[in-house]
Amino acid sequence: APLHGDMLIEDAVYTLFFPEAAAFSMPGFTIPIDQITLQKIDRISDSAAMRNSYFEEEPAIELQLPYIRHLFGEHPVIPLLAGNPSSKTSRDLAKILRIFNPEETLFIISTNLTGDLPSARAQVHADTAVDILTGEDPLPLLEALGKKKISMCGAHILEAVKKTGYFTDNWTVIGYHKSELESVNRSTHSLSALLLPKSTEGIISK
């Protein structure tokens, strides 16, 4: 998930963060954290740091946990927060993701499709982001983010997953939804999409 809060000054050299806790604790259940894998990540990457504090303040992963628990029970998770939305962060994250076998590991990316924007602008951002994800628009996500053509908070994470080389070229967008505050004419769009492993190309149809 993207790190929405500000990073501490002393953490400016890092792009990725993981917790040292043994588990996430939610009302009525816990989800174990795969500390063995996180220790391996710590050994191979000088861009990642262990910080519990960012996870205590960041909702982007927390909101996914009830669904993960419902679908996968107490299967351990490997939570990572990606900092500044930059090419460096994407490269650092892709290097870490390459240690996993995509046929054995489910990658879940927590991101919005647009920021909280005036409704007309949010719709343009949503349409542009979907066109990029599906390959209709060749503009890279991070370039579109830099040009303020999109406002997706997890663009750098989406780019990192593609940089692994494990997956097909374009995302299959299942759908997206608009949450609107009519009183102030602002809206935010959310997204459901899949990026299929190359081993499934031609086997799973849209």
Side-chain angles (χ1 to χ4, degrees):
L3 176 62
H4 290 92
D6 295 331
M7 290 193 300
L8 299 172
I9 294 175
E10 56 265 35
D11 287 338
V13 296
Y14 300 111
T15 55
L16 303 164
F17 300 95
F18 57 91
E20 60 180 326
F24 285 112
S25 179
M26 303 287 286
F29 67 88
T30 60
I31 297 179
I33 295 172
D34 185 349
Q35 279 296 331
I36 294 176
T37 299
L38 290 181
Q39 289 167 12
K40 179 180 180 180
I41 290 172
D42 193 32
R43 290 194 298 271
I44 68 169
S45 174
D46 57 7
S47 62
M50 184 183 294
R51 299 286 187 273
N52 274 346
S53 58
Y54 295 129
F55 288 85
E56 292 169 356
E57 300 172 356
E58 176 56 64
I61 287 180
E62 180 183 353
L63 291 171
Q64 306 299 320
L65 296 178
Y67 303 101
I68 292 172
R69 177 64 168 77
H70 175 72
L71 292 171
F72 304 107
E74 295 186 354
H75 197 287
V77 295
I78 304 161
L80 295 170
L81 290 175
N84 295 326
S86 66
S87 294
K88 182 180 187 311
T89 303
S90 290
R91 289 193 302 271
D92 292 342
L93 181 56
K95 177 182 176 181
I96 288 173
L97 296 180
R98 288 190 192 103
I99 72 174
F100 300 102
N101 181 341
E103 295 184 4
E104 297 176 350
T105 305
L106 175 65
F107 298 151
I108 300 174
I109 301 172
S110 180
T111 180
N112 57 24
L113 182 59
T114 73
D116 176 26
L117 299 170
S119 293
R121 186 180 175 201
Q123 187 64 60
V124 172
H125 278 214
D127 292 341
T128 301
V130 168
D131 284 348
I132 294 172
L133 291 173
T134 58
E136 296 294 323
D137 186 331
L139 189 67
L141 282 170
L142 284 175
E143 185 176 341
L145 187 68
K147 292 180 177 179
K148 301 188 184 304
K149 292 187 174 184
I150 64 172
S151 48
M152 181 187 295
C153 65
H156 52 317
I157 305 174
L158 297 169
E159 289 279 30
V161 173
K162 289 191 68 172
K163 286 179 187 294
T164 63
Y166 290 157
F167 297 94
T168 53
D169 289 338
N170 299 310
W171 293 79
T172 297
V173 174
I174 299 170
Y176 61 94
H177 172 74
K178 178 172 66 174
S179 300
E180 193 163 22
L181 293 173
E182 294 183 5
S183 59
V184 292
N185 195 30
R186 298 182 70 86
S187 59
T188 303
H189 294 248
S190 56
L191 171 77
S192 294
L194 294 171
L195 190 61
L196 300 175
K198 286 183 176 178
S199 60
T200 64
E201 194 170 11
I203 299 174
I204 300 177
S205 68
K206 293 182 181 180

